[in-house]
Amino acid sequence: SYEVTQPLSVSVPLGQTATITCEGDKIRTRSVHWYQQKPGQAPVLVIYRDSNRPSGVPERFSASNSGNTATLTISTVQAEDEADFHCQVWGGRIVVFGGGTKLT
Amino acid sequence: QITLKESGPTLMKPTQTLTLTCTFSGFSLSTSGVGVGWIRQPPGQALEWLALIYWNDDERYSPSLESRLTITKDTSKGQVVLTMTSVDPGDTATYYCAHARGSEESYFDYWGPGTPVTVSS
């Protein structure tokens, strides 16, 4: 079965750029979706189909997908961005979530 | 405006059957490219996808739980029901339902607030 791996945590100073990765074999051939989840809340879609931002998501959220790594980038990180981030792909007929990355 | 809300028991005993209902509005499950999925999250752990049903009755299940899960839809009522048999403490989690968009490599663009389920003797 297909698996994706995320770092457990990423720490970045306010105002700097955060990079969160999602690794999987030839992940470039799959669409990657990203969710932000704040404590006690449901996940929120922030990126769909590799690099598309839903309406209402700040422009500082961007993403790419190449080779074996998909990357979520948050530029000029703000305090409100602190959360868990989850990547999601499809492995054949099933949904696969990464283990989640805590951004502090 | 798309909204979803989960409902069901908050406390279960081992071996019981869990039935969760997702009541939604703002979309129809008869519209092409639309689905509703169930995802759970044990305390302090990652998201785990459970099942998904599409507008065309296509059902998908997590391989590790497939033998215990059944997902059904009632389009006229705006509901999707997930049934899980033989629960045990490892099924303790917050359960979410979510609107799935796209017939290929769907993503979940709207989520319910989640409902906590505890399994304990």
Side-chain angles (χ1 to χ4, degrees):
Chain A
S1 62
Y2 192 78
E3 295 182 357
V4 291
T5 303
Q6 298 182 238
L8 278 175
S9 64
V10 168
S11 183
V12 62
L14 289 174
Q16 299 302 302
T17 297
T19 300
I20 299 172
T21 57
C22 178
E23 296 186 351
D25 184 47
K26 299 184 181 68
I27 199 171
R28 71 182 185 281
T29 63
R30 304 169 191 261
S31 280
V32 180
H33 318 300
W34 292 92
Y35 304 87
Q36 178 187 41
Q37 185 181 27
K38 297 183 179 180
Q41 297 182 19
V44 173
L45 180 72
V46 292
I47 295 287
Y48 65 97
R49 300 202 191 287
D50 293 340
S51 60
N52 296 280
R53 216 175 34 248
S55 61
V57 174
E59 290 185 9
R60 63 179 182 275
F61 287 84
S62 64
S64 62
N65 187 6
S66 176
N68 295 320
T69 304
T71 303
L72 175 69
T73 301
I74 310 169
S75 59
T76 319
V77 164
Q78 302 183 9
E80 67 200 49
D81 298 331
E82 186 164 272
D84 292 330
F85 289 84
H86 310 270
C87 63
Q88 177 236 314
V89 298
W90 280 80
R93 287 177 50 85
I94 66 172
V95 173
V96 178
F97 281 101
T101 298
K102 186 173 187 61
L103 174 64
T104 58
Chain B
Q1 179 188 4
I2 291 176
T3 63
L4 306 97
K5 187 169 185 180
E6 309 85 353
S7 59
T10 56
L11 184 61
M12 301 282 295
K13 293 187 183 301
T15 75
Q16 290 183 327
T17 294
L18 172 65
T19 299
L20 295 170
T21 300
C22 177
T23 302
F24 59 84
S25 63
F27 68 95
S28 172
L29 246 185
S30 60
T31 300
S32 178
V34 171
V36 171
W38 284 94
I39 303 100
R40 72 179 180 182
Q41 186 173 37
Q45 297 187 38
L47 298 173
E48 179 183 17
W49 172 72
L50 302 176
L52 195 156
I53 189 165
Y54 284 104
W55 83 99
N56 58 358
D57 295 325
D58 184 10
E59 301 170 22
R60 311 283 180 94
Y61 294 98
S62 166
S64 62
L65 293 165
E66 184 167 10
S67 63
R68 298 171 53 206
L69 298 176
T70 303
I71 190 169
T72 60
K73 65 181 178 69
D74 187 328
T75 303
S76 62
K77 288 185 178 179
Q79 291 183 332
V80 170
V81 175
L82 180 73
T83 302
M84 177 184 291
T85 61
S86 302
V87 298
D88 67 27
D91 296 312
T92 294
T94 295
Y95 287 74
Y96 299 98
C97 65
H99 173 271
R101 189 175 299 274
S103 55
E104 297 287 337
E105 298 191 281
S106 312
Y107 52 91
F108 301 105
D109 55 352
Y110 293 91
W111 295 63
T115 187
V117 176
T118 300
V119 181
S120 174
S121 55

